Amino acid sequence: MFRLIPDWLLYIIAIAAVVFVLFRVDQRADAPEALPDAPSINGSFLPPPSIYDPEVLVEVGPVSSGMGSAFAISEQGWWLTARHVVDGCEHVGLIVARGSAVPVVDVKRALFADLALLRTDQAPAALALDTSERDFQIGQRAFHVGFPQGRPGEAYSRLIGRETLVARGRYDVEEPVLAWAELGRTSGLHGSLAGISGGPAFSANGQVIGVTVAESARRGRIYTAAPSSILRLLRVEQVDAVGAPAPRLTSDNYGQQSDDLRRQLAVAQVVCVAPGEGPL
C-alpha cells in the first residue's frame, strides 16, 4: 500500500538534495561542452580488470536525507541502486506518484561495490540485465536514466575503458568500474548529474549494462558499476533478475524513451531519510 510522505519531509529532503548538489559535488559543477557524437564505429573489445587500471577517488560523505535513482529488475519487487544512495538511511522509499511512496522493506548492500538491492512488495515493470561483458567494445554508447538534481533527466556517453573506483569516507571500497565520456544530455539539464546515482545505464539495444555510481564533472566522465559486480551481488543475495529490454535507444529518442520508463515505474526515485529525521 502506498503511504503519503508529509510535505515537511519532502521539503527537508529537497533542501538536502540542493545542498548536496551545491557543496558536496565538484565545485566546478557545470559539465564541459558535449563531445562531438562521432559515427558509431566501435573499437577494440573491453579488456578485463587490471591492477594497472587508472584510479578515481570518491569521497563518501556522512549520511544525510536526499534522493537518488533505482530501477526494477524483478516484478517480485527487487530493485537495483547505488549503495551510497541508501547506506545508513533509517528509512528508504520509492516515489511512485506525487506525494506517494512505496516503503522499501529490505536493503541489501554490497560490501565490495557501490551497489545495493532494494525490495518492495512488487514492481510494475522490470528491466533486462546484460552482465556478460563479453561483447563490450570501446566506443559503444550508453544511456543514463534517472533523476539528476532531483528531477527527471538523462545523459548519453561512449565507453572509454575501465578504471578502479576508490571510495573513502563513510565506507571504504575499491571496485572495477566502467568509465564513459559524456556526449550529451537532454535539454534543460545543466550542471551536476547528482541524483542520477543508482539509475540504469542502457546499451543501445535496451538492456541494462551498468548502474551509474559517480561522475567527474571536470573531466566529463560518468562511471558505472561493472556488470560483473552486479552479477556477483545477485549471486551473493540469491536474487533472480528477470525483466524485459527497453525499446532501442538512440541519441535522438533516448529522452522520450526515458520518460516512458519513468512513467512505467521501471525507473523510480529513491528517498533516503537519515536517522532522526522522521519516518516515511
Side-chain angles (χ1 to χ4, degrees):
M1 179 178 295
F2 297 169
R3 300 179 183 178
L4 294 179
I5 302 177
D7 291 341
W8 63 266
L9 182 54
L10 285 175
Y11 181 79
I12 289 175
I13 293 172
I15 294 297
V18 170
V19 170
F20 178 85
V21 169
L22 292 177
F23 298 106
R24 295 211 60 82
V25 184
D26 197 311
Q27 292 293 317
R28 295 167 55 191
D30 285 341
E33 183 177 352
L35 299 172
D37 192 357
S40 183
I41 300 176
N42 292 335
S44 58
F45 286 102
L46 181 70
S50 166
I51 60 172
Y52 302 108
D53 289 338
E55 291 186 352
V56 55
L57 180 63
V58 174
E59 184 69 25
V60 185
V63 180
S64 62
S65 293
M67 295 180 175
S69 304
F71 60 98
I73 59 170
S74 165
E75 292 186 5
Q76 279 66 52
W78 287 105
W79 306 70
L80 264 173
T81 189
R83 175 181 172 180
H84 73 265
V85 170
V86 296
D87 186 79
C89 303
E90 184 172 5
H91 302 282
V92 179
L94 297 177
I95 295 180
V96 295
R98 185 176 179 83
S100 298
V102 173
V104 170
V105 298
D106 194 10
V107 177
K108 297 183 180 295
R109 303 165 183 83
L111 300 180
F112 50 83
D114 190 359
L115 291 169
L117 285 164
L118 311 178
R119 188 169 66 84
T120 59
D121 291 337
Q122 60 182 353
L127 298 169
L129 300 175
D130 178 3
T131 58
S132 67
E133 297 186 14
R134 182 174 56 251
D135 298 323
F136 284 26
Q137 290 181 295
I138 303 301
Q140 74 177 68
R141 300 295 185 259
F143 300 87
H144 309 264
V145 182
F147 294 85
Q149 303 174 32
R151 55 193 176 92
E154 46 278 330
Y156 77 107
S157 61
R158 61 177 171 83
L159 181 60
I160 57 176
R162 292 188 187 272
E163 296 192 21
T164 299
L165 186 146
V166 181
R168 295 290 182 263
R170 192 192 323 163
Y171 55 80
D172 295 343
V173 169
E174 294 187 14
E175 61 172 305
V177 294
L178 304 189
W180 306 81
E182 185 181 334
L183 295 174
R185 53 179 71 182
T186 44
S187 61
L189 177 57
H190 304 287
S192 171
L193 294 172
I196 205 172
S197 287
F202 291 94
S203 62
N205 66 10
Q207 292 186 302
V208 177
I209 55 175
V211 177
T212 304
V213 295
E215 70 164 336
S216 173
R218 284 193 180 96
R219 301 174 63 200
R221 299 288 186 263
I222 301 173
Y223 300 97
T224 61
S228 56
S229 297
I230 298 173
L231 181 60
R232 181 180 174 186
L233 176 59
L234 295 175
R235 287 175 172 172
V236 167
E237 300 299 342
Q238 299 182 352
V239 171
D240 293 326
V242 180
R248 186 169 183 82
L249 294 104
T250 69
S251 58
D252 295 322
N253 75 0
Y254 75 103
Q256 181 60 55
Q257 298 292 5
S258 299
D259 286 340
D260 290 344
L261 290 169
R262 284 184 289 258
R263 279 193 290 267
Q264 296 163 10
L265 294 179
V267 180
Q269 195 166 25
V270 181
V271 179
C272 162
V273 180
E277 294 193 8
L280 285 172

